[in-house]
Short mmCIF file of all heavy atoms in Angstrom, two decimals:
data_model
loop_
_atom_site.label_atom_id
_atom_site.label_comp_id
_atom_site.label_asym_id
_atom_site.label_seq_id
_atom_site.Cartn_x
_atom_site.Cartn_y
_atom_site.Cartn_z
N LEU A 35 -4.05 36.74 -26.27
CA LEU A 35 -4.56 37.22 -24.98
C LEU A 35 -3.62 38.25 -24.38
O LEU A 35 -2.44 38.32 -24.76
CB LEU A 35 -4.74 36.03 -24.04
CG LEU A 35 -5.85 35.03 -24.43
CD1 LEU A 35 -5.79 33.79 -23.55
CD2 LEU A 35 -7.23 35.68 -24.35
N ALA A 37 -2.56 42.30 -23.22
CA ALA A 37 -2.53 43.63 -23.84
C ALA A 37 -1.37 43.64 -24.84
O ALA A 37 -0.20 43.47 -24.45
CB ALA A 37 -2.34 44.71 -22.80
N ASN A 38 -1.70 43.86 -26.12
CA ASN A 38 -0.68 43.77 -27.17
C ASN A 38 -0.66 45.07 -28.01
O ASN A 38 -1.63 45.39 -28.71
CB ASN A 38 -0.94 42.57 -28.07
CG ASN A 38 -0.70 41.26 -27.35
OD1 ASN A 38 0.40 40.77 -27.33
ND2 ASN A 38 -1.77 40.70 -26.77
N TYR A 119 -2.07 37.60 -18.46
CA TYR A 119 -1.09 37.72 -19.55
C TYR A 119 -0.34 39.05 -19.51
O TYR A 119 0.29 39.44 -20.50
CB TYR A 119 -1.80 37.59 -20.90
CG TYR A 119 -2.09 36.15 -21.30
CD1 TYR A 119 -3.04 35.39 -20.65
CD2 TYR A 119 -1.38 35.55 -22.34
CE1 TYR A 119 -3.33 34.09 -21.01
CE2 TYR A 119 -1.62 34.23 -22.74
CZ TYR A 119 -2.60 33.50 -22.07
OH TYR A 119 -2.86 32.21 -22.47
N ALA A 120 -0.37 39.74 -18.39
CA ALA A 120 0.33 41.03 -18.26
C ALA A 120 1.81 40.86 -18.58
O ALA A 120 2.50 40.00 -18.00
CB ALA A 120 0.13 41.57 -16.87
N ARG A 121 2.33 41.70 -19.47
CA ARG A 121 3.76 41.63 -19.83
C ARG A 121 4.62 42.41 -18.84
O ARG A 121 5.83 42.22 -18.79
CB ARG A 121 3.98 42.23 -21.22
CG ARG A 121 3.90 41.28 -22.41
CD ARG A 121 2.75 40.33 -22.39
NE ARG A 121 2.65 39.61 -23.67
CZ ARG A 121 1.63 38.85 -24.01
NH1 ARG A 121 0.60 38.72 -23.17
NH2 ARG A 121 1.62 38.24 -25.15
N ALA A 122 4.00 43.22 -18.04
CA ALA A 122 4.70 43.94 -16.95
C ALA A 122 3.72 44.25 -15.86
O ALA A 122 2.52 44.37 -16.11
CB ALA A 122 5.35 45.23 -17.47
N VAL A 159 3.20 47.23 -22.51
CA VAL A 159 4.64 47.38 -22.78
C VAL A 159 4.89 47.52 -24.27
O VAL A 159 4.09 47.12 -25.11
CB VAL A 159 5.46 46.16 -22.25
CG1 VAL A 159 5.23 45.97 -20.75
CG2 VAL A 159 5.13 44.89 -23.02
N ASN A 160 6.04 48.09 -24.56
CA ASN A 160 6.50 48.21 -25.95
C ASN A 160 7.26 46.90 -26.29
O ASN A 160 8.28 46.61 -25.68
CB ASN A 160 7.45 49.40 -26.08
CG ASN A 160 7.89 49.64 -27.52
OD1 ASN A 160 7.69 48.80 -28.38
ND2 ASN A 160 8.50 50.79 -27.76
N PRO A 161 6.75 46.12 -27.25
CA PRO A 161 7.40 44.85 -27.53
C PRO A 161 8.67 44.96 -28.39
O PRO A 161 9.40 43.96 -28.55
CB PRO A 161 6.32 44.10 -28.32
CG PRO A 161 5.57 45.17 -29.03
CD PRO A 161 5.57 46.34 -28.09
N TRP A 165 17.54 43.57 -30.93
CA TRP A 165 18.33 42.40 -30.55
C TRP A 165 19.64 42.32 -31.32
O TRP A 165 20.52 41.51 -30.97
CB TRP A 165 17.53 41.14 -30.81
CG TRP A 165 16.47 40.88 -29.76
CD1 TRP A 165 15.14 41.09 -29.87
CD2 TRP A 165 16.68 40.37 -28.45
NE1 TRP A 165 14.49 40.73 -28.70
CE2 TRP A 165 15.42 40.29 -27.81
CE3 TRP A 165 17.82 39.98 -27.72
CZ2 TRP A 165 15.25 39.83 -26.51
CZ3 TRP A 165 17.64 39.50 -26.43
CH2 TRP A 165 16.39 39.44 -25.82
N HIS A 229 9.73 35.46 -12.86
CA HIS A 229 8.35 35.83 -13.11
C HIS A 229 7.86 36.69 -11.95
O HIS A 229 8.32 36.53 -10.82
CB HIS A 229 7.44 34.57 -13.17
CG HIS A 229 7.57 33.80 -14.48
ND1 HIS A 229 7.03 32.56 -14.62
CD2 HIS A 229 8.13 34.13 -15.64
CE1 HIS A 229 7.27 32.12 -15.84
NE2 HIS A 229 7.95 33.07 -16.49
N PHE A 253 2.89 35.23 -15.20
CA PHE A 253 3.73 34.29 -15.90
C PHE A 253 4.35 34.86 -17.20
O PHE A 253 5.07 34.15 -17.89
CB PHE A 253 2.90 33.03 -16.26
CG PHE A 253 2.46 32.26 -15.04
CD1 PHE A 253 1.13 32.35 -14.62
CD2 PHE A 253 3.34 31.50 -14.33
CE1 PHE A 253 0.71 31.64 -13.48
CE2 PHE A 253 2.92 30.82 -13.19
CZ PHE A 253 1.63 30.86 -12.77
N PHE A 254 4.07 36.13 -17.48
CA PHE A 254 4.65 36.81 -18.65
C PHE A 254 5.51 37.99 -18.23
O PHE A 254 6.24 38.52 -19.06
CB PHE A 254 3.56 37.29 -19.61
CG PHE A 254 2.78 36.17 -20.25
CD1 PHE A 254 1.76 35.50 -19.54
CD2 PHE A 254 3.03 35.78 -21.56
CE1 PHE A 254 1.04 34.50 -20.13
CE2 PHE A 254 2.31 34.75 -22.16
CZ PHE A 254 1.32 34.11 -21.43
N ALA A 255 5.41 38.43 -17.00
CA ALA A 255 6.04 39.66 -16.55
C ALA A 255 7.33 39.40 -15.78
O ALA A 255 7.32 38.61 -14.83
CB ALA A 255 5.08 40.46 -15.67
N PRO A 256 8.43 40.07 -16.12
CA PRO A 256 9.63 39.97 -15.28
C PRO A 256 9.38 40.62 -13.94
O PRO A 256 8.71 41.65 -13.83
CB PRO A 256 10.69 40.76 -16.09
CG PRO A 256 10.12 40.97 -17.43
CD PRO A 256 8.61 40.96 -17.28
N VAL A 270 11.16 45.13 -18.61
CA VAL A 270 11.08 44.20 -19.75
C VAL A 270 12.27 44.37 -20.65
O VAL A 270 12.98 43.41 -20.99
CB VAL A 270 9.77 44.42 -20.53
CG1 VAL A 270 9.72 43.50 -21.74
CG2 VAL A 270 8.58 44.14 -19.63
N ALA A 271 12.55 45.61 -21.05
CA ALA A 271 13.73 45.91 -21.89
C ALA A 271 15.03 45.58 -21.16
O ALA A 271 15.99 45.13 -21.76
CB ALA A 271 13.72 47.36 -22.36
N PHE A 273 15.47 43.22 -18.88
CA PHE A 273 15.64 41.75 -18.92
C PHE A 273 16.19 41.33 -20.28
O PHE A 273 17.11 40.50 -20.35
CB PHE A 273 14.31 41.06 -18.65
CG PHE A 273 14.41 39.58 -18.52
CD1 PHE A 273 14.51 38.98 -17.27
CD2 PHE A 273 14.42 38.75 -19.64
CE1 PHE A 273 14.63 37.58 -17.14
CE2 PHE A 273 14.56 37.38 -19.52
CZ PHE A 273 14.66 36.79 -18.29
N LYS A 274 15.64 41.87 -21.32
CA LYS A 274 16.12 41.53 -22.66
C LYS A 274 17.58 41.91 -22.84
O LYS A 274 18.39 41.17 -23.41
CB LYS A 274 15.27 42.22 -23.72
CG LYS A 274 13.85 41.70 -23.81
CD LYS A 274 13.03 42.49 -24.85
CE LYS A 274 11.61 41.94 -24.99
NZ LYS A 274 10.81 42.68 -25.98
N MET A 289 15.54 29.80 -17.04
CA MET A 289 14.66 30.40 -16.05
C MET A 289 14.05 29.33 -15.18
O MET A 289 13.55 28.31 -15.66
CB MET A 289 13.53 31.18 -16.73
CG MET A 289 13.97 32.45 -17.42
SD MET A 289 12.52 33.35 -18.09
CE MET A 289 11.64 33.77 -16.58
N TYR A 293 4.98 26.98 -12.58
CA TYR A 293 3.68 26.88 -13.21
C TYR A 293 2.74 25.94 -12.44
O TYR A 293 1.68 25.61 -12.94
CB TYR A 293 3.82 26.35 -14.65
CG TYR A 293 4.50 27.27 -15.61
CD1 TYR A 293 5.75 27.00 -16.14
CD2 TYR A 293 3.85 28.45 -16.01
CE1 TYR A 293 6.37 27.85 -17.04
CE2 TYR A 293 4.45 29.32 -16.92
CZ TYR A 293 5.72 29.03 -17.43
OH TYR A 293 6.30 29.89 -18.31
N LEU A 347 -2.29 28.93 -21.22
CA LEU A 347 -1.51 29.94 -20.50
C LEU A 347 -0.07 29.52 -20.37
O LEU A 347 0.85 30.31 -20.64
CB LEU A 347 -2.13 30.11 -19.08
CG LEU A 347 -1.33 31.00 -18.12
CD1 LEU A 347 -1.61 32.46 -18.39
CD2 LEU A 347 -1.63 30.63 -16.68
N ILE A 348 0.17 28.26 -19.99
CA ILE A 348 1.56 27.79 -19.80
C ILE A 348 2.31 27.77 -21.14
O ILE A 348 3.44 28.25 -21.22
CB ILE A 348 1.56 26.42 -19.14
CG1 ILE A 348 1.02 26.51 -17.72
CG2 ILE A 348 2.97 25.83 -19.13
CD1 ILE A 348 0.86 25.16 -17.02
N MET A 349 1.68 27.25 -22.17
CA MET A 349 2.37 27.18 -23.46
C MET A 349 2.62 28.56 -24.05
O MET A 349 3.68 28.85 -24.60
CB MET A 349 1.57 26.31 -24.43
CG MET A 349 1.49 24.86 -24.04
SD MET A 349 3.10 24.08 -23.73
CE MET A 349 3.89 24.28 -25.31
N ASP A 350 1.61 29.46 -23.94
CA ASP A 350 1.82 30.82 -24.42
C ASP A 350 2.95 31.50 -23.68
O ASP A 350 3.77 32.24 -24.25
CB ASP A 350 0.54 31.62 -24.26
CG ASP A 350 -0.54 31.25 -25.28
OD1 ASP A 350 -0.22 30.54 -26.25
OD2 ASP A 350 -1.69 31.70 -25.10
N SER A 351 3.02 31.25 -22.35
CA SER A 351 4.08 31.85 -21.55
C SER A 351 5.44 31.32 -21.96
O SER A 351 6.39 32.10 -22.16
CB SER A 351 3.82 31.56 -20.06
OG SER A 351 4.92 31.95 -19.26
N LEU A 352 5.56 30.02 -22.11
CA LEU A 352 6.86 29.43 -22.48
C LEU A 352 7.31 29.97 -23.83
O LEU A 352 8.48 30.33 -24.01
CB LEU A 352 6.74 27.90 -22.50
CG LEU A 352 6.55 27.21 -21.16
CD1 LEU A 352 6.22 25.74 -21.35
CD2 LEU A 352 7.79 27.36 -20.29
N ARG A 353 6.41 29.98 -24.80
CA ARG A 353 6.78 30.49 -26.13
C ARG A 353 7.17 31.97 -26.05
O ARG A 353 8.11 32.41 -26.76
CB ARG A 353 5.64 30.27 -27.13
CG ARG A 353 5.54 28.86 -27.66
CD ARG A 353 4.60 28.77 -28.84
NE ARG A 353 3.22 29.03 -28.44
CZ ARG A 353 2.37 28.11 -28.05
NH1 ARG A 353 2.73 26.83 -28.06
NH2 ARG A 353 1.13 28.46 -27.68
N TYR A 354 6.47 32.74 -25.23
CA TYR A 354 6.78 34.15 -25.10
C TYR A 354 8.21 34.36 -24.60
O TYR A 354 8.96 35.19 -25.14
CB TYR A 354 5.79 34.83 -24.14
CG TYR A 354 6.10 36.26 -23.84
CD1 TYR A 354 5.78 37.27 -24.72
CD2 TYR A 354 6.72 36.62 -22.63
CE1 TYR A 354 6.09 38.60 -24.44
CE2 TYR A 354 7.02 37.95 -22.33
CZ TYR A 354 6.69 38.93 -23.23
OH TYR A 354 6.99 40.23 -22.96
N TRP A 355 8.57 33.59 -23.59
CA TRP A 355 9.91 33.78 -23.00
C TRP A 355 11.03 33.31 -23.95
O TRP A 355 12.13 33.85 -23.93
CB TRP A 355 10.03 33.08 -21.66
CG TRP A 355 9.26 33.82 -20.61
CD1 TRP A 355 7.98 33.57 -20.17
CD2 TRP A 355 9.72 34.95 -19.88
NE1 TRP A 355 7.61 34.46 -19.22
CE2 TRP A 355 8.63 35.34 -19.02
CE3 TRP A 355 10.91 35.67 -19.85
CZ2 TRP A 355 8.75 36.42 -18.14
CZ3 TRP A 355 11.00 36.77 -18.97
CH2 TRP A 355 9.94 37.12 -18.13
N VAL A 356 10.70 32.35 -24.83
CA VAL A 356 11.71 31.91 -25.82
C VAL A 356 11.75 32.88 -26.99
O VAL A 356 12.83 33.34 -27.37
CB VAL A 356 11.38 30.48 -26.31
CG1 VAL A 356 12.35 30.09 -27.43
CG2 VAL A 356 11.47 29.49 -25.16
N GLU A 357 10.61 33.20 -27.55
CA GLU A 357 10.59 33.99 -28.80
C GLU A 357 10.79 35.47 -28.55
O GLU A 357 11.53 36.13 -29.31
CB GLU A 357 9.24 33.78 -29.50
CG GLU A 357 9.04 32.37 -30.01
CD GLU A 357 7.76 32.22 -30.83
OE1 GLU A 357 6.67 32.43 -30.27
OE2 GLU A 357 7.88 31.88 -32.02
N GLU A 358 10.20 36.01 -27.49
CA GLU A 358 10.30 37.45 -27.25
C GLU A 358 11.41 37.83 -26.30
O GLU A 358 12.01 38.91 -26.47
CB GLU A 358 8.95 37.96 -26.72
CG GLU A 358 7.78 37.80 -27.64
CD GLU A 358 7.95 38.64 -28.91
OE1 GLU A 358 8.51 39.72 -28.84
OE2 GLU A 358 7.48 38.14 -29.98
N MET A 359 11.71 36.98 -25.33
CA MET A 359 12.73 37.29 -24.34
C MET A 359 14.03 36.53 -24.56
O MET A 359 15.02 36.78 -23.86
CB MET A 359 12.19 37.01 -22.91
CG MET A 359 10.84 37.65 -22.63
SD MET A 359 10.88 39.44 -22.69
CE MET A 359 11.16 39.84 -20.96
N HIS A 360 14.02 35.59 -25.54
CA HIS A 360 15.22 34.89 -26.00
C HIS A 360 15.88 34.01 -24.95
O HIS A 360 17.11 33.77 -25.02
CB HIS A 360 16.25 35.89 -26.55
CG HIS A 360 15.87 36.46 -27.90
ND1 HIS A 360 16.80 36.91 -28.80
CD2 HIS A 360 14.64 36.66 -28.46
CE1 HIS A 360 16.17 37.38 -29.88
NE2 HIS A 360 14.85 37.22 -29.70
N VAL A 361 15.14 33.52 -23.96
CA VAL A 361 15.75 32.62 -22.98
C VAL A 361 16.00 31.26 -23.62
O VAL A 361 15.40 30.89 -24.64
CB VAL A 361 14.91 32.48 -21.70
CG1 VAL A 361 14.68 33.84 -21.07
CG2 VAL A 361 13.62 31.75 -21.97
N PHE A 364 14.24 26.18 -19.41
CA PHE A 364 13.43 26.36 -18.19
C PHE A 364 13.71 25.22 -17.21
O PHE A 364 13.89 24.08 -17.61
CB PHE A 364 11.93 26.35 -18.54
CG PHE A 364 11.53 27.37 -19.57
CD1 PHE A 364 11.46 27.02 -20.91
CD2 PHE A 364 11.25 28.64 -19.21
CE1 PHE A 364 11.09 27.93 -21.86
CE2 PHE A 364 10.88 29.61 -20.16
CZ PHE A 364 10.82 29.24 -21.50
N ASP A 392 5.42 20.98 -29.63
CA ASP A 392 5.61 22.39 -29.91
C ASP A 392 6.95 22.63 -30.57
O ASP A 392 8.00 22.27 -30.01
CB ASP A 392 5.53 23.20 -28.60
CG ASP A 392 5.47 24.69 -28.89
OD1 ASP A 392 6.55 25.29 -29.06
OD2 ASP A 392 4.35 25.25 -28.94
N ILE A 394 8.73 25.22 -30.92
CA ILE A 394 9.57 26.20 -30.22
C ILE A 394 10.05 25.66 -28.88
O ILE A 394 11.26 25.54 -28.62
CB ILE A 394 8.82 27.53 -30.03
CG1 ILE A 394 8.32 28.09 -31.38
CG2 ILE A 394 9.71 28.53 -29.31
CD1 ILE A 394 9.41 28.39 -32.37
N VAL A 395 9.10 25.32 -28.03
CA VAL A 395 9.44 24.93 -26.65
C VAL A 395 10.19 23.63 -26.61
O VAL A 395 11.08 23.44 -25.75
CB VAL A 395 8.14 24.87 -25.79
CG1 VAL A 395 8.46 24.47 -24.37
CG2 VAL A 395 7.42 26.22 -25.82
#
Side-chain angles (χ1 to χ4, degrees):
L35 293 170
N38 291 274
Y119 279 71
R121 270 45 171 190
V159 303
N160 185 347
W165 283 103
H229 283 168
F253 296 104
F254 294 79
V270 177
F273 186 97
K274 292 178 178 179
M289 290 184 65
Y293 291 112
L347 173 82
I348 294 174
M349 294 307 300
D350 286 349
S351 172
L352 291 170
R353 280 192 294 269
Y354 174 78
W355 287 96
V356 175
E357 294 185 298
E358 297 296 326
M359 309 297 267
H360 287 206
V361 303
F364 305 94
D392 190 276
I394 303 299
V395 180

